[in-house]
Amino acid sequence: MFFVASSRDTSGAGRGSERRSIYQKFRNVDLLDKKKTVTALKPGEDRAILLGLGMILSSVMLYFVLGITVLRSYADSVWTEEGVCIVLNATVTADENCSYSCGSDCWRLSKYPCLQVYVSVNSTGRVSRLSHNEETQDTSSECFYVPRCQKDSAAMHMMIVNISEWLKVNTQVPCYYDPAEQQETVLLTRLYDHAVVFHSLLWPSCMLTGGGVIIMMVKLTQYLSRLCEEIGKIKR
């Protein structure tokens, strides 16, 4: 009886150690797979974080560039009020000289007709000279529009004549004026209005938001991975 019991105990202990060895092998394989998964995910997470940081840095640089160009010009502009201008007179006066490039260190003269337009701003009742935009106002204080200088002066003349005829047909046009009346000139269009500022800031804002979302998603994934690992340790 003793020998039979001993043999049974020995066989039971062998089966138990065999089960433990099999369980240990499966566990080692599971841990190895987890390590491989973590090793494979780590470079991808680093690249995603670098992508997010790059997008945020690029958006900040774009904000800086737009701040010293578009936003500064928009803030410094005095033509802030929009009204309706009634065209009183549109006359082509004397020719203005301009220069165009004909090669490296080569400049030649050409001429374009100066179109002077006077309007009445219905909200103020004053008569003012109409200019195309801020750039035209800075280039010429008398002419409504300054075309790009070119060799063919006849083409520039035809362009100015077409603008004059259009203003004679469309006698009421939207315009921008200075409410403080520091500038007597009114503008037909603004280089940087509300729509231009909005569209200029839209893409940097989307890039900044996208970079932040990418970093948040990576951090959330890492947090959930650690949480699952801790829950697994508690269950074991």
Side-chain angles (χ1 to χ4, degrees), residues 4 14 21-22 26 32 41 57 59 61 67 69 81-82 86 107 113 118 127 135 143 152 164 190 195 198 225 227 232:
V4 173
S21 61
I22 294 173
F26 278 112
L32 183 61
L41 289 176
L57 181 61
S59 64
M61 293 177 64
T69 55
E81 293 293 330
E82 185 176 0
I86 300 174
W107 294 89
Y118 288 91
V127 177
E135 186 177 3
C143 303
D152 190 359
S164 176
R190 294 181 62 186
F198 172 77
S225 177
L227 186 62

Side-chain angles (χ1 to χ4, degrees), residues 3 25 28-29 41 56 63 70 77 80 93 105 116 118 169 174-175 182-183 199-200 217-218 231:
F3 291 106
K25 288 180 181 179
N28 292 335
V29 170
L41 289 176
I56 292 175
Y63 276 130
V70 177
S77 179
T80 56
T93 60
D105 297 331
Q116 291 184 350
Y118 288 91
V169 174
C175 59
Q182 296 178 357
Q183 288 285 343
H199 287 96
S200 299
M217 293 297 292
V218 172
I231 293 173

Side-chain angles (χ1 to χ4, degrees), residues 27-106:
R27 188 183 178 198
N28 292 335
V29 170
D30 187 28
L31 292 175
L32 183 61
D33 291 340
K34 287 183 178 180
K35 289 182 180 179
K36 288 182 179 179
T37 304
V38 171
T39 304
L41 289 176
K42 187 64 176 176
E45 292 174 350
D46 293 340
R47 294 190 191 100
I49 291 178
L50 290 176
L51 175 62
L53 292 176
M55 293 174 65
I56 292 175
L57 181 61
S58 300
S59 64
V60 171
M61 293 177 64
L62 285 175
Y63 276 130
F64 175 76
V65 173
L66 293 173
I68 63 177
T69 55
V70 177
L71 294 180
R72 183 176 180 180
S73 300
Y74 174 78
D76 292 343
S77 179
V78 297
W79 294 276
T80 56
E81 293 293 330
E82 185 176 0
V84 177
C85 289
I86 300 174
V87 179
L88 301 177
N89 188 13
T91 307
V92 177
T93 60
D95 292 339
E96 296 286 334
N97 294 324
C98 65
S99 59
Y100 64 94
S101 176
C102 56
S104 177
D105 297 331
C106 175

Side-chain angles (χ1 to χ4, degrees), residues 8-9 13 22 48 71 74 79 103 129 158 178 206 228:
R8 288 180 180 176
D9 292 341
I22 294 173
L71 294 180
Y74 174 78
W79 294 276
R129 188 180 59 84
M158 184 60 63
D178 178 15
C206 292
C228 292

Side-chain angles (χ1 to χ4, degrees), residues 15 20 22 40 57 84 124 144 148 167 175 207 213 219:
R15 291 193 191 97
R20 283 195 298 270
I22 294 173
L57 181 61
V84 177
T124 61
F144 166 75
R148 182 180 180 183
L167 289 173
C175 59
M207 188 180 299
V213 169
K219 293 299 182 181

